[in-house]
Coordinates of all heavy atoms in Angstrom, one line a residue:
M1 N 125.5 -196.4 60.5 CA 124.2 -195.9 60.0 C 124.1 -196.0 58.5 O 125.1 -195.6 57.8 CB 124.1 -194.4 60.5 CG 122.7 -193.9 60.3 SD 121.5 -194.4 61.5 CE 122.0 -193.2 62.8
L2 N 123.0 -196.4 58.0 CA 122.8 -196.6 56.6 C 121.4 -196.1 56.2 O 120.4 -196.5 56.8 CB 123.0 -198.0 56.2 CG 123.0 -198.3 54.7 CD1 124.4 -198.2 54.1 CD2 122.4 -199.7 54.4
I3 N 121.4 -195.1 55.3 CA 120.1 -194.6 54.8 C 120.0 -194.8 53.3 O 120.9 -194.4 52.6 CB 119.9 -193.1 55.2 CG1 119.9 -192.9 56.7 CG2 118.7 -192.5 54.5 CD1 119.7 -191.5 57.1
H4 N 118.9 -195.4 52.8 CA 118.6 -195.4 51.4 C 117.5 -194.4 51.1 O 116.6 -194.3 51.9 CB 118.0 -196.8 51.0 CG 119.0 -197.9 51.0 ND1 120.2 -197.8 50.4 CD2 118.9 -199.1 51.5 CE1 120.8 -199.0 50.6 NE2 120.0 -199.8 51.3
V5 N 117.7 -193.6 50.0 CA 116.7 -192.7 49.6 C 116.3 -193.2 48.2 O 117.1 -193.1 47.2 CB 117.2 -191.3 49.5 CG1 116.1 -190.3 49.0 CG2 117.7 -190.8 50.9
D6 N 115.1 -193.7 48.0 CA 114.7 -194.3 46.8 C 113.6 -193.4 46.1 O 112.8 -192.8 46.8 CB 114.0 -195.7 47.0 CG 115.0 -196.7 47.4 OD1 116.1 -196.7 46.8 OD2 114.7 -197.6 48.3
D7 N 113.6 -193.4 44.8 CA 112.5 -192.8 44.0 C 112.1 -193.7 42.9 O 112.8 -194.7 42.5 CB 112.8 -191.4 43.7 CG 113.9 -191.2 42.6 OD1 113.9 -192.0 41.7 OD2 114.7 -190.3 42.7
D8 N 111.0 -193.3 42.3 CA 110.5 -194.1 41.1 C 110.5 -193.2 39.8 O 109.7 -193.4 38.9 CB 109.0 -194.6 41.3 CG 108.1 -193.4 41.6 OD1 108.5 -192.2 41.6 OD2 106.8 -193.7 41.7
G9 N 111.6 -192.4 39.8 CA 111.7 -191.4 38.7 C 112.5 -192.1 37.5 O 112.5 -193.3 37.3
I10 N 113.2 -191.2 36.8 CA 113.8 -191.6 35.6 C 115.1 -192.5 35.8 O 115.5 -193.2 34.9 CB 114.2 -190.3 34.8 CG1 114.7 -190.6 33.4 CG2 115.3 -189.5 35.6 CD1 114.9 -189.3 32.6
G11 N 115.6 -192.5 37.0 CA 116.8 -193.3 37.3 C 118.1 -192.6 36.7 O 118.0 -191.6 36.0
I12 N 119.2 -193.2 37.1 CA 120.5 -192.7 36.6 C 121.3 -193.8 35.9 O 121.4 -194.9 36.5 CB 121.3 -192.2 37.9 CG1 120.5 -191.1 38.6 CG2 122.7 -191.7 37.5 CD1 121.0 -190.9 40.0
P13 N 121.7 -193.6 34.7 CA 122.4 -194.6 33.9 C 123.6 -195.1 34.7 O 124.3 -194.2 35.3 CB 122.8 -193.9 32.6 CG 121.9 -192.7 32.5 CD 121.6 -192.3 33.9
P14 N 124.0 -196.4 34.7 CA 125.1 -196.9 35.4 C 126.4 -196.1 35.2 O 127.1 -195.8 36.1 CB 125.2 -198.3 34.9 CG 123.9 -198.7 34.4 CD 123.2 -197.4 33.9
E15 N 126.6 -195.7 33.9 CA 127.9 -195.0 33.6 C 127.9 -193.6 34.1 O 129.0 -192.9 34.1 CB 128.1 -195.0 32.1 CG 127.1 -194.2 31.3 CD 125.9 -195.0 30.9 OE1 125.6 -196.1 31.5 OE2 125.2 -194.5 30.0
E16 N 126.8 -193.1 34.6 CA 126.7 -191.7 35.2 C 126.7 -191.7 36.7 O 126.7 -190.6 37.3 CB 125.5 -190.9 34.7 CG 125.4 -190.8 33.2 CD 126.3 -189.8 32.6 OE1 127.2 -189.2 33.3 OE2 126.3 -189.6 31.4
R17 N 126.6 -192.8 37.3 CA 126.4 -192.9 38.8 C 127.5 -192.4 39.7 O 127.3 -192.0 40.8 CB 126.0 -194.3 39.2 CG 124.6 -194.6 38.7 CD 124.2 -196.1 39.0 NE 123.0 -196.4 38.3 CZ 122.5 -197.6 38.0 NH1 123.1 -198.6 38.6 NH2 121.4 -197.7 37.3
E18 N 128.7 -192.3 39.1 CA 129.8 -191.7 39.8 C 129.9 -190.2 39.5 O 130.1 -189.3 40.3 CB 131.1 -192.5 39.5 CG 132.3 -192.1 40.5 CD 131.9 -192.2 41.9 OE1 131.2 -193.2 42.4 OE2 132.4 -191.4 42.7
H19 N 129.8 -190.0 38.2 CA 129.9 -188.7 37.6 C 129.0 -187.6 38.2 O 129.4 -186.4 38.4 CB 129.7 -188.8 36.1 CG 130.0 -187.5 35.3 ND1 131.1 -186.7 35.5 CD2 129.3 -186.9 34.3 CE1 131.0 -185.7 34.7 NE2 129.9 -185.8 34.0
I20 N 127.8 -188.0 38.5 CA 126.8 -187.0 39.1 C 127.2 -186.4 40.4 O 126.7 -185.4 40.8 CB 125.4 -187.6 39.2 CG1 125.5 -188.9 40.0 CG2 124.7 -187.8 37.9 CD1 124.1 -189.4 40.5
F21 N 128.2 -187.0 41.1 CA 128.7 -186.4 42.3 C 129.7 -185.4 42.1 O 130.2 -184.7 43.1 CB 129.3 -187.5 43.2 CG 128.2 -188.4 43.8 CD1 127.8 -189.6 43.2 CD2 127.5 -188.0 45.0 CE1 126.8 -190.4 43.8 CE2 126.5 -188.8 45.5 CZ 126.2 -190.0 44.9
S22 N 130.1 -185.1 40.8 CA 131.1 -184.0 40.5 C 130.3 -182.7 40.5 O 129.2 -182.7 39.9 CB 131.7 -184.3 39.2 OG 132.5 -185.5 39.2
A23 N 130.9 -181.7 41.0 CA 130.2 -180.4 41.0 C 129.8 -179.9 39.6 O 130.6 -180.1 38.7 CB 131.1 -179.3 41.7
F24 N 128.7 -179.3 39.5 CA 128.1 -178.7 38.3 C 127.7 -179.8 37.2 O 127.5 -179.4 36.0 CB 129.1 -177.7 37.7 CG 129.5 -176.6 38.6 CD1 130.8 -176.5 39.1 CD2 128.5 -175.7 39.1 CE1 131.1 -175.5 40.0 CE2 128.8 -174.8 40.0 CZ 130.1 -174.7 40.5
T25 N 127.7 -181.0 37.6 CA 127.2 -182.0 36.6 C 125.7 -182.1 36.7 O 125.1 -182.3 37.8 CB 127.8 -183.4 37.0 OG1 129.2 -183.4 36.9 CG2 127.2 -184.5 36.1
R26 N 125.0 -182.0 35.5 CA 123.6 -182.2 35.4 C 123.4 -183.0 34.2 O 123.9 -182.7 33.1 CB 122.8 -180.8 35.3 CG 123.0 -180.0 36.5 CD 122.2 -178.7 36.3 NE 122.7 -178.0 35.1 CZ 122.1 -176.8 34.6 NH1 121.2 -176.3 35.3 NH2 122.6 -176.3 33.5
L27 N 122.6 -184.1 34.3 CA 122.4 -185.0 33.1 C 121.3 -184.4 32.3 O 120.3 -184.0 32.8 CB 122.0 -186.4 33.6 CG 123.0 -187.1 34.5 CD1 122.5 -188.4 34.9 CD2 124.4 -187.1 33.9
D28 N 121.6 -184.2 31.0 CA 120.6 -183.6 30.1 C 119.3 -184.2 30.1 O 118.3 -183.5 30.0 CB 121.2 -183.6 28.6 CG 122.4 -182.6 28.5 OD1 122.6 -181.9 29.4 OD2 123.0 -182.7 27.5
R29 N 119.2 -185.5 30.2 CA 117.9 -186.2 30.1 C 117.0 -186.0 31.2 O 115.8 -186.2 31.2 CB 118.1 -187.7 29.7 CG 118.8 -188.5 30.8 CD 119.1 -189.9 30.3 NE 118.0 -190.8 30.6 CZ 118.1 -191.6 31.6 NH1 119.1 -191.6 32.5 NH2 117.1 -192.5 31.8
S30 N 117.5 -185.5 32.4 CA 116.6 -185.3 33.5 C 116.5 -183.8 33.9 O 115.6 -183.5 34.7 CB 117.1 -186.2 34.7 OG 118.4 -185.8 35.1
R31 N 117.4 -183.0 33.5 CA 117.3 -181.6 33.9 C 117.7 -180.7 32.7 O 118.8 -181.0 32.1 CB 118.3 -181.3 35.0 CG 118.2 -182.1 36.3 CD 117.1 -181.4 37.1 NE 117.4 -181.7 38.6 CZ 117.3 -182.8 39.2 NH1 116.9 -183.9 38.5 NH2 117.5 -182.9 40.4
D32 N 116.9 -179.7 32.3 CA 117.4 -178.8 31.3 C 117.7 -177.5 32.0 O 117.6 -177.4 33.3 CB 116.5 -178.6 30.2 CG 115.1 -178.0 30.6 OD1 115.1 -177.4 31.7 OD2 114.1 -178.2 29.9
R33 N 118.2 -176.5 31.3 CA 118.6 -175.2 31.9 C 117.5 -174.5 32.7 O 117.8 -173.9 33.7 CB 119.1 -174.3 30.8 CG 120.5 -174.6 30.4 CD 121.1 -173.5 29.5 NE 122.3 -173.9 28.9 CZ 123.5 -174.0 29.5 NH1 123.6 -173.7 30.8 NH2 124.6 -174.4 28.9
S34 N 116.3 -174.7 32.2 CA 115.2 -173.9 32.9 C 114.7 -174.6 34.2 O 114.3 -174.0 35.1 CB 114.0 -173.8 31.9 OG 113.5 -175.0 31.5
T35 N 114.8 -175.9 34.2 CA 114.3 -176.6 35.4 C 115.4 -177.1 36.4 O 115.2 -177.4 37.5 CB 113.5 -177.9 35.0 OG1 114.3 -178.8 34.3 CG2 112.3 -177.5 34.2
G36 N 116.7 -177.2 35.8 CA 117.7 -177.7 36.6 C 118.2 -176.8 37.7 O 118.0 -175.6 37.6
G37 N 118.9 -177.4 38.6 CA 119.6 -176.6 39.7 C 121.0 -176.3 39.2 O 121.3 -176.2 38.0
Y38 N 121.9 -176.1 40.2 CA 123.3 -175.8 39.8 C 124.2 -177.1 39.6 O 125.3 -177.0 39.2 CB 123.9 -175.0 40.9 CG 123.4 -173.6 40.9 CD1 122.3 -173.2 41.8 CD2 123.9 -172.6 40.1 CE1 121.8 -171.9 41.8 CE2 123.4 -171.3 40.0 CZ 122.3 -171.0 40.9 OH 121.8 -169.7 40.9
G39 N 123.6 -178.2 40.0 CA 124.4 -179.4 39.9 C 125.4 -179.5 41.1 O 126.4 -180.2 41.0
L40 N 125.0 -179.0 42.2 CA 125.9 -179.0 43.4 C 125.4 -179.8 44.5 O 126.1 -180.2 45.4 CB 126.0 -177.5 43.9 CG 126.9 -176.6 43.0 CD1 126.9 -175.2 43.6 CD2 128.3 -177.1 43.0
G41 N 124.1 -180.2 44.5 CA 123.5 -180.9 45.6 C 124.2 -182.2 46.0 O 124.6 -182.4 47.2
L42 N 124.4 -183.0 45.0 CA 125.1 -184.3 45.3 C 126.5 -184.2 45.7 O 127.0 -184.9 46.6 CB 124.9 -185.2 44.1 CG 123.5 -185.7 43.9 CD1 123.4 -186.5 42.6 CD2 122.9 -186.5 45.0
A43 N 127.2 -183.2 45.0 CA 128.6 -183.0 45.4 C 128.8 -182.5 46.8 O 129.7 -183.0 47.6 CB 129.3 -182.0 44.4
I44 N 127.9 -181.6 47.2 CA 127.9 -181.1 48.6 C 127.6 -182.3 49.6 O 128.2 -182.5 50.6 CB 127.0 -179.9 48.8 CG1 127.5 -178.7 48.0 CG2 126.8 -179.6 50.3 CD1 126.5 -177.6 47.9
A45 N 126.5 -183.0 49.3 CA 126.1 -184.1 50.1 C 127.2 -185.1 50.3 O 127.5 -185.6 51.5 CB 124.8 -184.8 49.6
R46 N 127.9 -185.5 49.2 CA 129.0 -186.5 49.4 C 130.1 -185.9 50.2 O 130.7 -186.6 51.1 CB 129.5 -186.9 48.0 CG 130.8 -187.7 48.1 CD 131.2 -188.2 46.8 NE 130.5 -189.5 46.4 CZ 130.8 -190.2 45.4 NH1 131.8 -189.9 44.6 NH2 130.1 -191.3 45.1
R47 N 130.4 -184.6 50.0 CA 131.5 -184.0 50.8 C 131.2 -184.0 52.3 O 132.0 -184.3 53.1 CB 131.7 -182.6 50.3 CG 132.9 -181.9 50.9 CD 134.2 -182.4 50.2 NE 135.4 -181.9 50.9 CZ 136.3 -182.6 51.6 NH1 136.2 -183.9 51.7 NH2 137.3 -182.0 52.2
V48 N 129.9 -183.7 52.6 CA 129.5 -183.7 54.0 C 129.7 -185.1 54.6 O 130.2 -185.3 55.7 CB 128.1 -183.2 54.2 CG1 127.5 -183.5 55.6 CG2 127.9 -181.7 53.8
L49 N 129.2 -186.1 53.9 CA 129.4 -187.5 54.3 C 130.8 -187.9 54.5 O 131.2 -188.5 55.5 CB 128.7 -188.5 53.3 CG 127.2 -188.9 53.6 CD1 127.2 -189.7 54.9 CD2 126.3 -187.7 53.7
E50 N 131.7 -187.5 53.6 CA 133.1 -187.8 53.7 C 133.8 -187.1 54.9 O 134.6 -187.7 55.5 CB 133.8 -187.4 52.4 CG 133.5 -188.3 51.2 CD 134.1 -187.8 49.9 OE1 134.6 -186.7 49.8 OE2 134.1 -188.6 48.9
L51 N 133.3 -185.9 55.2 CA 133.9 -185.2 56.3 C 133.5 -185.9 57.6 O 134.1 -185.7 58.7 CB 133.5 -183.7 56.3 CG 134.2 -182.9 55.2 CD1 133.5 -181.5 55.1 CD2 135.6 -182.7 55.5
H52 N 132.4 -186.7 57.6 CA 132.0 -187.5 58.7 C 132.5 -188.9 58.6 O 132.0 -189.8 59.3 CB 130.5 -187.4 58.9 CG 130.0 -186.1 59.4 ND1 129.9 -185.8 60.7 CD2 129.6 -185.0 58.7 CE1 129.4 -184.6 60.8 NE2 129.2 -184.1 59.6
G53 N 133.4 -189.2 57.7 CA 134.0 -190.5 57.6 C 133.1 -191.5 56.9 O 133.2 -192.7 57.0
G54 N 132.1 -191.0 56.2 CA 131.1 -191.8 55.5 C 131.2 -191.8 54.0 O 132.1 -191.2 53.4
T55 N 130.2 -192.3 53.3 CA 130.1 -192.3 51.9 C 128.7 -192.0 51.4 O 127.7 -192.2 52.1 CB 130.5 -193.7 51.3 OG1 129.6 -194.7 51.9 CG2 131.9 -194.1 51.7
A56 N 128.7 -191.6 50.1 CA 127.4 -191.3 49.4 C 127.5 -191.9 48.1 O 128.5 -191.7 47.4 CB 127.1 -189.9 49.4
K57 N 126.6 -192.8 47.7 CA 126.7 -193.4 46.3 C 125.3 -193.5 45.7 O 124.3 -193.5 46.4 CB 127.4 -194.7 46.3 CG 126.8 -195.8 47.1 CD 127.7 -197.0 47.2 CE 127.1 -198.2 47.9 NZ 126.2 -199.0 47.0
A58 N 125.3 -193.6 44.4 CA 124.1 -193.8 43.6 C 124.0 -195.2 43.0 O 125.0 -195.8 42.7 CB 124.0 -192.7 42.5
D59 N 122.7 -195.6 42.9 CA 122.5 -197.0 42.4 C 121.1 -197.0 41.8 O 120.4 -195.9 41.6 CB 122.5 -197.9 43.6 CG 123.3 -199.2 43.2 OD1 123.0 -199.7 42.1 OD2 124.1 -199.6 44.0
A60 N 120.6 -198.2 41.4 CA 119.2 -198.3 40.9 C 118.3 -198.7 42.1 O 118.7 -199.4 43.0 CB 119.2 -199.4 39.9
S61 N 117.1 -198.1 42.1 CA 116.2 -198.4 43.2 C 115.2 -199.6 42.8 O 114.9 -199.7 41.6 CB 115.3 -197.2 43.4 OG 114.2 -197.5 44.3
P62 N 114.8 -200.4 43.8 CA 113.8 -201.4 43.5 C 112.5 -200.8 43.0 O 111.6 -201.4 42.4 CB 113.6 -202.1 44.8 CG 114.6 -201.5 45.8 CD 115.4 -200.5 45.1
L63 N 112.3 -199.4 43.3 CA 111.1 -198.7 42.9 C 111.2 -198.4 41.4 O 110.2 -197.9 40.8 CB 110.9 -197.5 43.7 CG 110.8 -197.6 45.2 CD1 110.6 -196.2 45.9 CD2 109.6 -198.5 45.5
G64 N 112.3 -198.6 40.8 CA 112.4 -198.3 39.3 C 113.3 -197.1 39.0 O 113.6 -196.8 37.8
G65 N 113.5 -196.2 40.0 CA 114.3 -195.0 39.8 C 115.7 -195.1 40.4 O 116.4 -196.1 40.2
A66 N 116.0 -193.9 41.0 CA 117.4 -193.9 41.6 C 117.3 -194.2 43.1 O 116.3 -194.1 43.8 CB 117.9 -192.4 41.5
R67 N 118.4 -194.8 43.5 CA 118.6 -195.0 45.0 C 119.9 -194.4 45.4 O 121.0 -194.6 44.8 CB 118.7 -196.5 45.3 CG 119.4 -196.8 46.6 CD 119.3 -198.3 47.0 NE 118.0 -198.6 47.5 CZ 117.7 -199.8 48.1 NH1 118.6 -200.7 48.1 NH2 116.4 -200.0 48.5
F68 N 119.8 -193.5 46.4 CA 121.0 -192.9 47.0 C 121.3 -193.6 48.3 O 120.3 -193.7 49.1 CB 120.9 -191.4 47.1 CG 120.9 -190.7 45.8 CD1 119.7 -190.4 45.1 CD2 122.1 -190.4 45.1 CE1 119.6 -189.8 43.9 CE2 122.0 -189.8 43.9 CZ 120.8 -189.5 43.3
T69 N 122.5 -194.0 48.6 CA 122.8 -194.6 49.8 C 123.8 -193.8 50.6 O 124.9 -193.5 50.0 CB 123.4 -196.1 49.6 OG1 122.5 -196.8 48.8 CG2 123.7 -196.7 50.9
L70 N 123.5 -193.4 51.7 CA 124.3 -192.6 52.6 C 124.7 -193.5 53.8 O 123.9 -194.1 54.4 CB 123.6 -191.4 53.2 CG 122.8 -190.5 52.1 CD1 122.1 -189.4 52.8 CD2 123.7 -190.0 51.0
S71 N 126.0 -193.5 54.1 CA 126.5 -194.4 55.1 C 127.6 -193.7 55.9 O 128.4 -193.1 55.4 CB 127.1 -195.7 54.4 OG 127.9 -196.4 55.2
W72 N 127.5 -193.9 57.2 CA 128.5 -193.3 58.1 C 128.5 -194.1 59.5 O 127.5 -194.7 59.8 CB 128.3 -191.8 58.3 CG 127.1 -191.4 59.1 CD1 127.1 -191.1 60.5 CD2 125.8 -191.3 58.7 NE1 125.8 -190.8 60.8 CE2 125.0 -190.9 59.8 CE3 125.1 -191.5 57.4 CZ2 123.6 -190.7 59.7 CZ3 123.8 -191.3 57.3 CH2 123.0 -190.9 58.4
K73 N 129.6 -193.9 60.2 CA 129.7 -194.5 61.5 C 128.9 -193.7 62.5 O 129.2 -192.5 62.7 CB 131.1 -194.7 61.9 CG 131.8 -195.9 61.4 CD 132.8 -196.4 62.4 CE 133.5 -197.7 62.0 NZ 134.5 -197.4 60.9
A74 N 128.0 -194.3 63.2 CA 127.3 -193.6 64.3 C 128.3 -193.4 65.5 O 129.1 -194.3 65.8 CB 126.1 -194.4 64.7
R75 N 128.2 -192.2 66.1 CA 129.1 -192.0 67.2 C 128.7 -192.8 68.4 O 127.5 -193.0 68.7 CB 129.0 -190.5 67.6 CG 130.2 -190.0 68.4 CD 129.9 -188.6 68.9 NE 129.8 -187.7 67.8 CZ 130.2 -186.4 67.8 NH1 130.7 -186.0 68.9 NH2 130.1 -185.6 66.8
Q76 N 129.7 -193.3 69.1 CA 129.4 -194.2 70.3 C 128.8 -193.3 71.4 O 129.2 -192.2 71.6 CB 130.6 -194.9 70.8 CG 131.2 -195.8 69.8 CD 130.3 -197.0 69.4 OE1 129.7 -197.5 70.3 NE2 130.1 -197.3 68.2
Ligands
ATP1 N1 116.8 -188.7 41.9 C1 117.4 -188.5 40.7 N2 116.9 -189.2 39.6 C2 117.5 -189.0 38.4 N3 118.6 -188.2 38.2 C3 119.0 -187.5 39.2 C4 118.5 -187.6 40.5 N4 119.1 -186.8 41.4 C5 120.1 -186.2 40.7 N5 120.0 -186.6 39.4 C6 120.9 -186.2 38.3 O1 122.2 -185.8 38.8 C7 122.4 -184.4 38.5 C8 123.2 -183.8 39.7 O2 122.3 -183.7 40.8 P1 122.5 -182.6 41.9 O3 121.5 -182.8 43.0 O4 124.0 -182.6 42.3 O5 122.3 -181.3 41.1 P2 120.9 -180.6 40.7 O6 119.7 -181.2 41.4 O7 120.8 -180.5 39.2 O8 121.1 -179.1 41.2 P3 121.2 -178.6 42.7 O9 121.0 -179.8 43.6 O10 122.5 -177.9 42.9 O11 120.0 -177.7 42.9 C9 121.0 -183.8 38.3 O12 121.1 -182.7 37.5 C10 120.3 -185.0 37.6 O13 120.7 -185.0 36.2
MG2 MG1 119.8 -181.6 43.5

């Protein structure tokens, strides 16, 4: 199973695309203290995917923003 989640937002710089999956990471240019969350969403999402034998990664979207790709083996 493969799911792409695309947006047309600010995007994620290539050098940050792995780092954003670390807990409590928030990139200054897209989130400040007043609007940002805890920086846990992506870390939790990746952990859930890994526990199902899958992966979660970030990339550039054809829409101009971020693309998140979630991938796992569908149960037979
Ligand atoms: N769709 C996106 N476009 C651009 N940057 C993003 C996007 N999603 C996440 N990020 C960047 O990655 C950081 C980490 O995202 P994550 O979802 O883990 O935390 P959060 O959204 O800040 O807080 P939380 O999900 O815990 O409420 C964000 O703070 C932001 O800088
Ligand atoms: Mg989030």
Side-chain angles (χ1 to χ4, degrees):
M1 189 78 81
L2 187 86
I3 295 179
H4 289 311
V5 182
D6 288 322
D7 68 41
D8 60 358
I10 189 172
I12 302 163
E15 66 274 16
E16 302 285 4
R17 286 177 194 164
E18 192 52 38
H19 186 44
I20 51 166
F21 287 95
S22 300
F24 304 113
T25 299
R26 297 180 304 178
L27 304 182
D28 289 349
R29 62 191 265 265
S30 59
R31 301 276 210 289
D32 63 22
R33 281 191 191 285
S34 58
T35 61
Y38 289 97
L40 287 175
L42 291 174
I44 292 169
R46 172 172 277 187
R47 190 75 187 116
V48 169
L49 265 295
E50 284 174 352
L51 288 169
H52 286 273
T55 59
K57 64 189 185 79
D59 223 314
S61 168
L63 300 181
R67 160 171 284 184
F68 291 93
T69 301
L70 312 179
S71 159
W72 71 97
K73 276 217 174 75
R75 199 188 297 212
Q76 297 298 315

